[in-house]
Amino acid sequence: MVDVVIVPATRGQLGVLPGHVATIAELKPGIMSVHDGNGVTKYFVSSGFAFVHANSFADIIAVEAVPLDRIDASLVQKGLAEFTQKVNSASTDLEKAEAQIGVDVQSALNSP
Amino acid sequence: MDIMWDLGRREREEGVKMSAPMPFWRAAGMTYITYSNICANLVRNCLKEPHKAEALNREKVHFAISTWKDGKAEKPVIRSDLAED
């Protein structure tokens, strides 16, 4: 059992402690942190869901969840510049949406 | 207990909005799966090696697709990211 898990829900940071009410939360791209007696372990989750069960178990479902030290900051900066430019030059709704997703994810990756 | 879960009642009678606004990607016609896979691909492309190559490997697909016509399957088309042998 850990002390608390903080997940990046679409509605804001969600802190889950033992005894938390059963919850389903959609996650946005961002950092989740697991706090226990030994300190904090952080992961970047690409998107997904957090399922908190009534018995104090929580499942975090994500397509990609990586420890922060695996992220290459220079690639993030390049991506951020590229997608910021794409948002402005995009024509169709779909292209705009894809570029906006790019900006959102790259900004989130840039945050730690 | 019934009242706790009847979210429809709160919307109807108290005028409280119980749902979130539609995300921009859904408004543009994208499904959640497409959105989630795009996010995952963006994260994979920002990783250091060798993690990046390992992660991008997860995107590879290999499948056969066949269209049906007049109740019969036509010749399957194979779509693959794996090396041709």
Side-chain angles (χ1 to χ4, degrees):
Chain A
M1 181 168 289
V2 299
D3 295 336
V4 64
V5 178
I6 304 181
V7 293
T10 50
R11 315 253 201 151
Q13 298 293 108
L14 178 67
V16 183
L17 295 112
H20 196 282
V21 67
T23 307
I24 301 178
E26 182 192 341
L27 304 180
K28 65 182 180 208
I31 297 172
M32 66 164 268
S33 44
V34 181
H35 301 244
D36 64 14
N38 300 327
V40 190
T41 317
K42 295 191 183 180
Y43 305 89
F44 187 89
V45 299
S46 62
S47 66
F49 291 87
F51 291 88
V52 184
H53 305 289
N55 58 357
S56 292
F57 273 79
D59 299 317
I60 313 295
I61 318 295
V63 177
E64 285 290 335
V66 297
L68 298 189
D69 56 14
R70 294 192 188 179
I71 299 174
D72 184 331
S74 61
L75 290 174
V76 174
Q77 295 290 23
K78 252 182 55 185
L80 185 52
E82 181 192 332
F83 285 103
T84 312
Q85 206 264 323
K86 274 193 192 160
V87 168
N88 294 323
S89 66
S91 41
T92 67
D93 274 347
L94 196 56
E95 278 176 24
K96 274 198 210 118
E98 285 174 358
Q100 185 60 49
I101 297 172
V103 170
D104 288 348
V105 174
Q106 301 289 146
S107 315
L109 280 161
N110 210 19
S111 309
Chain B
M1 284 305 279
D2 281 346
I3 292 178
M4 253 176 73
W5 296 105
D6 188 0
L7 305 178
R9 183 199 64 86
R10 285 204 75 195
E11 276 211 30
R12 283 190 309 272
E13 296 177 14
E14 301 175 25
V16 175
K17 258 315 196 164
M18 300 298 283
S19 44
M22 188 186 289
F24 66 88
W25 41 267
R26 193 173 285 283
M30 202 186 282
T31 61
Y32 179 81
I33 293 191
T34 311
Y35 164 72
S36 186
N37 283 336
I38 292 177
C39 290
N41 170 260
L42 291 164
V43 172
R44 287 175 185 134
N45 280 312
C46 286
L47 299 178
K48 300 173 183 167
E49 293 293 2
H51 309 291
K52 182 174 178 179
E54 286 168 6
L56 287 173
N57 210 35
R58 284 198 275 278
E59 291 183 357
K60 295 196 175 158
V61 293
H62 177 96
F63 61 95
I65 188 166
S66 50
T67 42
W68 289 71
K69 199 174 163 184
D70 296 330
K72 281 198 275 213
E74 300 185 340
K75 188 165 192 300
V77 173
I78 306 222
R79 301 221 184 139
S80 178
D81 291 322
L82 306 175
E84 299 297 329
D85 288 304

